[in-house]
Amino acid sequence: MPTFNTKEQATEAMKAINWLVSNTNQLAMLLEDFSECRDNCKAAVELTKQKAQEGQRKLNG
């Protein structure tokens, strides 16, 4: 457990903690967005593969 020699040190530590908490929430939201984008990208790749296979089948008769 850290100790603070002055009120200013304690205040700066609280500011840092509040900043981290705030950015943690933002990071969590960004990770959710990234996860959704990743899932959408996977779905798009899968659809592209299916369309490519359908096109290949048509070409092959």
Side-chain angles (χ1 to χ4, degrees), residues 1-3 9 15 20 22 27-28 31-33 37-38 41 43 51 54-55 58-59:
M1 183 72 137
T3 56
Q9 285 179 328
K15 286 180 186 176
L20 286 170
S22 174
L27 181 58
L31 286 173
E32 284 180 25
D33 290 346
C37 289
R38 183 197 62 208
C41 184
K51 293 295 181 183
E54 288 172 15
K58 287 179 182 178
L59 287 174

Side-chain angles (χ1 to χ4, degrees), residues 1-58:
M1 183 72 137
T3 56
F4 303 103
N5 297 324
T6 65
K7 182 179 178 183
E8 288 78 19
Q9 285 179 328
T11 300
E12 289 303 311
M14 285 303 299
K15 286 180 186 176
I17 289 168
N18 288 335
W19 183 86
L20 286 170
V21 168
S22 174
N23 284 318
T24 298
N25 291 336
Q26 289 175 344
L27 181 58
M29 290 187 321
L30 287 173
L31 286 173
E32 284 180 25
D33 290 346
F34 175 76
S35 179
E36 183 178 331
C37 289
R38 183 197 62 208
D39 292 345
N40 290 343
C41 184
K42 284 181 179 179
V45 167
E46 193 57 39
L47 183 60
T48 301
K49 284 180 184 177
Q50 290 174 7
K51 293 295 181 183
Q53 289 171 351
E54 288 172 15
Q56 190 64 44
R57 280 194 294 271
K58 287 179 182 178

